[in-house]
Amino acid sequence: MAIAEALSWTGLLIGMFVKWILATSELGVQVMGPIHGALFVAYVVVTLWTARLFRWDLRTVVIGLLASIPPLTTIWFERHAGATGRLDPARARAVTG
């Protein structure tokens, strides 16, 4: 999800560049805007679900959520979480209701 969100951010930034700097087309923003919006919301939901599943502390959850704001930072956060053991299957627990 982190990679998809980052790629959609990139697509939206390219669309905004074409729209506002080159002033040639709005198509990129019209297409990538809704896609990025949906993937952004999905990233937030997956981050919250993952935080509960892997028992993250509040600091990690906040950093994970804030990573969705700057472009491409979700990829950094996913790698960081993996490297620091926050995505270790041994930490996972069953999540109910």
Side-chain angles (χ1 to χ4, degrees):
M1 186 53 55
I3 292 170
E5 193 276 343
L7 290 175
S8 72
W9 232 134
T10 302
L12 182 57
L13 289 172
I14 292 168
M16 291 188 317
F17 176 81
V18 170
K19 178 180 178 180
W20 296 107
I21 304 301
L22 301 180
T24 57
S25 175
E26 293 186 17
L27 184 61
V29 174
Q30 291 171 344
V31 171
M32 291 309 298
I35 291 171
H36 175 66
L39 290 172
F40 171 83
V41 171
Y43 174 82
V44 168
V45 170
V46 168
T47 300
L48 293 172
W49 178 78
T50 303
R52 185 169 178 199
L53 178 67
F54 288 96
R55 305 174 199 184
W56 289 350
D57 59 12
L58 181 60
R59 181 177 183 269
T60 302
V61 176
V62 169
I63 292 171
L65 294 173
L66 288 176
S68 66
I69 299 170
L72 308 177
T73 310
T74 54
I75 295 173
W76 166 83
F77 177 74
E78 182 181 8
R79 289 182 178 184
H80 172 73
T84 57
R86 288 177 173 88
L87 297 175
D88 182 359
R91 290 178 60 130
R93 66 179 168 132
V95 177
T96 58

